[in-house]
Amino acid sequence: MRIFIMRHGEAQNFAPSDAERPLTPRGESQSRQMAEHLAEQLDGQLDMVWVSPYLRAQQTWQTMVDCLPSAAKVMTVDDITPYGEAEQVAAYIKAVIGVERPDTLLVVSHLPLVGYLTAELVVGIQPPMFQTSAIASVEYNPDTDVATFLEQAIPHG
């Protein structure tokens, strides 16, 4: 199965709180661009999407939704904010995959969690840096609990 770990699009610097920072127009454009790239990887199937409750992550997902196959299950997951614990989130991902057996999972989250989560899933790699709207692709075998880092796609422009 494939796990896609995405950092939200570019967000404005100021808002009443960090959780309320909205996307910039560039963040919307780059997120749409990455949705088109992701659609090519999905082969018409998107089983599960987890989105941070923060506004910029929710807006990233909303910007992408029209470019992607209809997701079978979309959830707002409180544990995937910037302050989420990568070890706990990775364990949660593996548990859900073990039970529900999706072929694809998209996680829309934040720094620093996205880098640490990728490294938590793929044993032996350093946490990759994530530009805004970047997506890391991980192949995961729930039967062997082995994950392989495939690529990281970044927006152009």
Side-chain angles (χ1 to χ4, degrees):
M1 69 130 338
R2 288 269 176 96
I3 302 169
F4 299 95
I5 301 169
M6 180 179 190
R7 182 179 176 200
H8 61 79
E10 180 184 85
Q12 294 181 11
N13 290 326
F14 301 104
S17 71
D18 185 39
E20 296 173 86
R21 290 174 45 219
L23 290 183
T24 64
R26 181 173 186 242
E28 291 175 9
S29 173
Q30 289 184 332
S31 295
R32 235 182 328 275
Q33 179 189 128
M34 294 309 296
E36 291 167 4
H37 171 79
L38 183 58
E40 295 171 8
Q41 312 297 308
L42 290 172
D43 197 27
Q45 178 178 348
L46 181 56
D47 296 321
M48 195 174 286
V49 179
W50 291 5
V51 186
S52 161
Y54 283 29
L55 179 60
R56 58 193 179 272
Q58 292 285 325
Q59 287 178 330
T60 297
W61 168 242
Q62 290 307 314
T63 299
M64 298 174 70
V65 82
D66 289 338
C67 300
L68 297 173
S70 292
K73 188 175 196 177
V74 179
M75 300 169 39
T76 297
V77 179
D78 292 338
D79 293 335
I80 60 172
T81 65
Y83 312 104
E85 292 290 329
E87 189 175 338
Q88 292 174 348
V89 174
Y92 184 42
I93 286 173
K94 291 176 181 183
V96 169
I97 289 170
V99 172
E100 299 196 25
R101 294 292 182 160
D103 286 326
T104 54
L105 166 64
L106 169 63
V107 177
V108 182
S109 187
H110 311 264
L111 281 181
L113 180 64
V114 289
Y116 292 133
L117 177 59
T118 304
E120 191 66 39
L121 291 168
V122 182
V123 176
I125 68 166
Q126 290 295 315
M129 289 303 301
F130 275 76
Q131 293 181 25
T132 51
S133 298
I135 301 174
S137 300
V138 174
E139 184 80 32
Y140 177 66
N141 183 331
D143 297 324
T144 61
D145 192 31
V146 172
T148 305
F149 184 85
L150 299 176
E151 72 166 353
Q152 185 183 56
I154 59 171
H156 307 294

